[in-house]
Amino acid sequence: MRVTDQQIFRSTQNDVLTARNRLFEAQKKVATGRNINAPSDDPIGMKKVLGYESSLMSITQFERNINFGKSWIQTAEQSLAHADELLTEARDIAINQSSQHFDQDTRDSAIKIVEGLYDQLMDMANSRLGGSFIFAGYNNETQPFERDSDYNITYTGDDGALGLRISENSTISLNANGEEIFQIDDPGGGAPISVFDLLRDLRTALQNDDLTGIQDQIPLLGVVKDHLQDVRAENSGQHLRMGMTEAHLSKVRLNVENSLSDLQQADMASAVLELQMEQTAYEAALSAASRVFQQSLLDFLN
Amino acid sequence: MTDLNQILSIGKSALLAQQRAIQTTSHNIANANTSGYTRQQVNLSTRPPVLTAAGMSGTGVQIVSTERIFDPYVDAQIVDQNGAVGQWEAMDQTLAQVDIIFNETEGGGLNSAFSAFWGAWQDLANNPGGAAERQALLSQSGILTDNFNQMAEDLNQIQTDLTTQIGLAVGEINDMAQEVADLNDKIFRVELTGQNANDLRDKRQLLLNDLSRSIGVEVTENGSYAEVSLGGQPLVEHDQAYTLSFSDPDFEIDTPGGPVSVPAGSINGGEVAGWLAARDTVIPQYQTQLDALAAGLIAAMNTQHAAGYGLGDDTGGTNFFSGTGAADIDLNGAIVADPNLIAAAGDPGGLPGDNQNALAIADLQFAQLLNGGTQTLDEAYQSLVVEVGSDASQASARLDNETALENHLFNRRQAISGVSIDEETINLLKFEQAYQAASRIITTADEMFATLIGMI
């Protein structure tokens, strides 16, 4: 086949330009450190990259939620643990004062102590986490427990449970129902009894020298302690569950980050090597081009 | 004496013939790099012999023709191939722009905006009474709607630009068609007198290639004329060019018999075909999907949001988004003015700790809302990105193929019609030698004359 000068020139030009283009692509890879620089580079890969990035952002959010949940439960736990101590003290007083031995002074201080315990218990029930009351249900910007001068308690919260999403497949419900937490079922089958009412009744019994009344509170206080124990156990279970989810999320995060990196992160060593190769190929193309143009018949004619 | 004259005459014919041959060879060498040039070859043949006393005797050399060496089939293929390359070039360039719109590799973009949006709802669920969380949610929502709006606008802008380009191209096409008509006329006149119109034909062929590149025309050789038609309708007939105009989305040719419509679907190649396909078929697919994504988001969000209650709110029923599609999706102005209307609560009264609705809304991230309940919003968007990337990548590959074919045809044409400088240089030597020998003939005849006269 005849080969003409224009053919040679154009072909050489194309080859040089192609080599230049490949060099440019290799440079881009090294400069950005990324394998995929546009959806058209690798459409399916791009989809995966977007998916992985979404997942990572979701995981970060779940971790935030879990941190919040754990703080909440830790605050609740501290409050309830202290409440337990207060109730133990109340029960001890009840036991002490329920004997026949009557001493007006100790009686008086017992009443004072019980009043103090009542108020401290109220503080615990009005615990806050970052400005919101944790035992007020959904009405968490209003103090849930208030008492009057006769130590009657009122609860202004509601029964709302705080939901929390800790992973794509699971949510947690935090028990914020102050009313339910600080009350027990009546063993006699009547309406539920508020813990605060127990203390109020103890105080009243002490004031009235009502030995039977005092004695009645002792088992009830025991039931309260058991009930609080149950609540704390439940919270503890939630905490455990969150911890396990957190650990799991950590592993998932690692996997996703690895997959993302494999896909998107240009292996620097091989990218630089490729750059070298393309550079060499480009120089070879240029050199070949210069040789092609050197000679024609005219060089040999006189 | 007649024989001597005959010898002189033979010498003269040789000189002239070789001189013409050298002229043609020089023309070839001069145009070695001219685009579209077809090499010319002088065809020599013997002059008719005469009857002499000694039998038939040769009378020298004559130039029968200066021939243009070309293959009309290859030329026709090149015209068609130009159309294919033009079409895919246009498509590739346009899709490269769309590729940029959907490119999030440098950060930002709809995918991360979605993730941040859902995250803001979760943060609100953790503290429904918090003013900061509400502000953050408004901010992230704004970023999301801005992204939608921007993408819709960018796609629209590309379409507008394509329309402008087509309009401009039509002007150029008319200029080229007119030039082809003028050349048709010149070539016809020249060839009528029996002369060759080689260089004019080269020029016309180049114009036809460019014309085809711009819009896929059909060319028919008709003697000296090249008849050009578009979608079956005449564009250049003999020496007349008819005006093409763009009456969006079709075209119109103003023929002597009245305006004729050329539907967009009947244009088979050229940049115009590529632009039209991109503007009217490919981009609208993306716009539809983007709008469906926005509409799905708006519908699901508004339904769930209206079912909840704002802070301290007893009525509920507020929409979160306004608008119907990607171009006009926006936040409900009432919510921007009063962030407390953001319905985080599930029960009337909107207590500050009630996060039931916020949780339900955050869960929409994982709900399969689109495509007949098979894809989440994130997945639907990611699928769209795959589609854009695939189309752009395929257009690029197709362009490479068509360009490779174009190069192949170029080589084929060069093999037949291209100038090889080495070859022409040898021709130069060949004809120059013959010229020198011919001048020798004349000097020899001259000496013979002198001898004869010297004898008298």
Side-chain angles (χ1 to χ4, degrees):
Chain A
M1 191 168 99
R2 267 181 93 238
V3 173
T4 65
D5 303 89
Q6 270 198 38
Q7 242 175 299
I8 298 175
F9 293 157
R10 207 212 242 203
S11 168
T12 313
Q13 206 172 39
N14 279 344
D15 292 339
V16 167
L17 287 177
T18 307
R20 186 78 190 86
N21 210 19
R22 293 229 294 270
L23 180 58
F24 173 63
E25 291 294 322
Q27 279 171 338
K28 207 154 59 144
K29 228 194 210 181
V30 172
T32 60
R34 281 195 299 264
N35 281 333
I36 306 176
N37 284 307
S40 55
D41 285 348
D42 179 3
I44 304 282
M46 187 82 223
K47 176 180 181 163
K48 287 191 190 157
V49 165
L50 292 179
Y52 292 148
E53 286 176 351
S54 271
S55 288
L56 287 178
M57 281 181 83
S58 286
I59 290 176
T60 306
Q61 185 61 43
F62 294 142
E63 285 170 349
R64 263 161 89 113
N65 293 351
I66 287 177
N67 276 341
F68 170 70
K70 279 163 98 176
S71 297
W72 196 97
I73 288 190
Q74 274 156 9
T75 309
E77 169 59 22
Q78 277 171 357
S79 304
L80 293 178
H82 192 57
D84 185 63
E85 287 167 3
L86 297 170
L87 291 165
T88 308
E89 215 183 307
R91 194 171 64 162
D92 288 342
I93 289 181
I95 292 173
N96 276 338
Q97 297 295 318
S98 67
S99 71
Q100 297 281 17
H101 186 75
F102 174 28
D103 176 286
Q104 190 55 47
D105 281 337
T106 47
R107 234 333 120 70
D108 287 342
S109 37
I111 293 173
K112 284 261 165 358
I113 293 174
V114 168
E115 287 172 355
L117 289 176
Y118 187 105
D119 284 339
Q120 282 183 68
L121 192 62
M122 226 175 64
D123 281 343
M124 288 302 103
N126 286 331
S127 291
R128 297 159 91 119
L129 177 64
S132 303
F133 294 97
I134 60 175
F135 294 124
Y138 285 148
N139 198 9
N140 63 5
E141 281 177 7
T142 315
Q143 182 172 302
F145 290 98
E146 295 268 358
R147 72 164 174 86
D148 64 8
S149 49
D150 288 328
Y151 289 86
N152 293 314
I153 198 77
T154 39
Y155 177 67
T156 53
D158 68 8
D159 60 354
L162 199 62
L164 210 62
R165 180 166 279 284
I166 57 172
S167 82
E168 195 169 322
N169 301 318
S170 43
T171 52
I172 273 203
S173 198
L174 298 174
N175 185 1
N177 185 354
E179 185 167 48
E180 192 268 333
I181 291 173
F182 291 102
Q183 83 185 9
I184 54 171
D185 292 328
D186 184 357
I193 309 170
S194 160
V195 170
F196 293 99
D197 287 345
L198 280 182
L199 291 181
R200 176 199 61 193
D201 293 343
L202 176 60
R203 175 179 172 272
T204 313
L206 286 171
Q207 282 176 331
N208 298 338
D209 289 331
D210 177 359
L211 279 187
T212 327
I214 296 173
Q215 278 167 347
D216 283 344
Q217 305 309 315
I218 299 171
L220 290 178
L221 284 170
V223 174
V224 169
K225 278 169 62 73
D226 286 340
H227 172 69
L228 285 184
Q229 222 26 51
D230 288 342
V231 172
R232 285 165 71 189
E234 220 176 282
N235 282 353
S236 174
Q238 305 266 46
H239 194 272
L240 192 62
R241 200 169 141 212
M242 282 196 273
M244 281 166 61
T245 307
E246 199 176 19
H248 176 69
L249 285 177
S250 212
K251 288 204 206 99
V252 172
R253 174 188 281 281
L254 205 59
N255 276 339
V256 173
E257 280 175 349
N258 278 342
S259 301
L260 183 58
S261 169
D262 281 346
L263 201 51
Q264 184 63 309
Q265 230 34 44
D267 176 23
M268 260 311 139
S270 62
V272 169
L273 208 58
E274 201 179 313
L275 181 59
Q276 265 309 108
M277 259 168 50
E278 296 300 347
Q279 180 79 30
T280 311
Y282 178 57
E283 282 167 10
L286 288 176
S287 167
S290 71
R291 264 171 242 276
V292 151
F293 299 149
Q294 306 267 11
Q295 297 194 315
S296 79
L297 188 54
L298 295 162
D299 293 330
F300 294 96
L301 293 176
N302 235 344
Chain B
M1 290 302 267
T2 38
D3 285 331
L4 271 182
N5 274 335
Q6 201 66 290
I7 295 173
L8 271 179
S9 166
I10 290 175
K12 183 182 87 172
S13 79
L15 272 181
L16 289 175
Q18 305 309 329
Q19 195 177 316
R20 272 294 296 283
I22 290 181
Q23 190 178 336
T24 303
T25 305
S26 314
H27 186 57
N28 281 345
I29 293 179
N31 285 296
N33 287 330
T34 305
S35 200
Y37 178 74
T38 312
R39 69 191 170 104
Q40 296 175 16
Q41 194 171 280
V42 156
N43 286 334
L44 303 171
S45 94
T46 55
R47 297 226 318 242
V50 292
L51 186 58
T52 65
M56 296 295 264
S57 177
T59 52
V61 67
Q62 65 180 351
I63 293 185
V64 172
S65 62
T66 307
E67 196 188 337
R68 189 171 165 257
I69 309 294
F70 78 111
D71 179 346
Y73 181 57
V74 173
D75 280 352
Q77 279 185 302
I78 289 180
V79 170
D80 284 342
Q81 191 58 30
N82 262 299
V85 172
Q87 184 179 358
W88 286 102
E89 219 165 51
M91 184 65 87
D92 176 55
Q93 273 174 2
T94 310
L95 289 185
Q97 288 178 289
V98 178
D99 197 27
I100 292 177
I101 294 177
F102 284 86
N103 188 356
E104 273 185 63
T105 50
E106 306 262 333
L110 205 54
N111 196 51
S112 67
F114 260 120
S115 287
F117 175 70
W118 300 122
W121 274 104
Q122 297 243 12
D123 282 345
L124 182 63
N126 291 344
N127 184 15
E133 282 83 354
R134 278 161 197 268
Q135 273 309 321
L137 177 59
L138 283 183
S139 171
Q140 285 306 134
S141 308
I143 292 176
L144 184 64
T145 56
D146 283 348
N147 256 299
F148 266 117
N149 298 150
Q150 188 63 48
M151 287 171 91
E153 193 186 312
D154 287 343
L155 284 174
N156 239 323
Q157 187 60 43
I158 292 180
Q159 287 180 313
T160 309
D161 289 344
L162 286 176
T163 307
T164 310
Q165 270 183 303
I166 294 174
L168 288 174
V170 165
E172 283 171 18
I173 289 168
N174 280 328
D175 289 342
M176 284 193 274
Q178 187 58 53
E179 275 184 68
V180 170
D182 291 341
L183 281 170
N184 270 349
D185 184 42
K186 288 192 192 127
I187 292 171
F188 177 72
R189 285 177 205 285
V190 165
E191 290 182 349
L192 201 56
T193 66
Q195 300 302 314
N196 73 62
N198 292 341
D199 295 331
L200 290 173
R201 277 182 178 264
D202 281 347
K203 244 183 164 167
R204 186 177 68 184
Q205 197 60 39
L206 275 182
L207 272 172
L208 289 172
N209 286 344
D210 288 342
L211 194 54
S212 178
R213 186 89 151 204
S214 191
I215 195 168
V217 293
E218 294 105 37
V219 177
T220 330
E221 292 279 332
N222 181 7
S224 301
Y225 296 120
E227 317 286 8
V228 180
S229 60
L230 181 63
Q233 305 296 342
L235 186 62
V236 174
E237 250 177 353
H238 288 11
D239 57 353
Q240 291 302 316
Y242 306 134
T243 311
L244 178 72
S245 55
F246 183 37
S247 51
D248 207 338
D250 298 315
F251 292 84
E252 211 171 72
I253 299 181
D254 194 11
T255 65
V260 186
S261 168
V262 179
S266 63
I267 299 178
N268 291 329
E271 291 173 330
V272 169
W275 289 328
L276 282 173
R279 187 192 72 162
D280 296 339
T281 312
V282 179
I283 290 183
Q285 277 173 338
Y286 305 148
Q287 288 171 318
T288 308
Q289 286 186 59
L290 197 63
D291 280 337
L293 188 60
L297 176 67
I298 294 172
M301 276 293 298
N302 283 351
T303 307
Q304 188 62 53
H305 192 264
Y309 300 86
L311 207 52
D313 172 30
D314 262 322
T315 30
T318 326
N319 276 344
F320 190 77
F321 285 121
S322 65
T324 49
D328 61 358
I329 181 177
D330 199 0
L331 287 173
N332 183 354
I335 287 188
V336 178
D338 180 12
N340 286 340
L341 284 174
I342 297 179
D347 295 323
L351 291 173
D354 186 351
N355 69 351
Q356 296 172 95
N357 208 38
L359 278 180
I361 289 178
D363 282 352
L364 289 175
Q365 177 179 11
F366 305 111
Q368 293 182 316
L369 300 169
L370 293 180
N371 282 328
T374 54
Q375 283 185 318
T376 69
L377 290 165
D378 290 344
E379 286 169 351
Y381 177 65
Q382 287 158 12
S383 292
L384 178 55
V385 174
V386 172
E387 204 177 313
V388 170
S390 284
D391 289 347
S393 157
Q394 274 174 31
S396 200
R398 184 68 190 268
L399 177 61
D400 286 343
N401 279 346
E402 299 292 348
T403 309
L405 204 51
E406 190 187 37
N407 280 336
H408 172 72
L409 285 173
F410 173 80
N411 287 341
R412 282 222 55 212
R413 187 174 199 282
Q414 279 293 302
I416 300 166
S417 315
V419 171
S420 162
I421 290 189
D422 289 342
E423 187 184 41
E424 299 298 333
T425 311
I426 293 174
N427 280 344
L428 260 187
L429 291 175
K430 182 170 85 179
F431 295 129
E432 196 193 352
Q433 266 195 348
Y435 186 83
Q436 282 167 348
S439 68
R440 214 66 198 92
I441 296 174
I442 294 186
T443 23
T444 307
D446 187 44
E447 280 166 8
M448 284 164 74
F449 259 125
T451 313
L452 266 181
I453 292 177
M455 280 163 62
I456 299 172

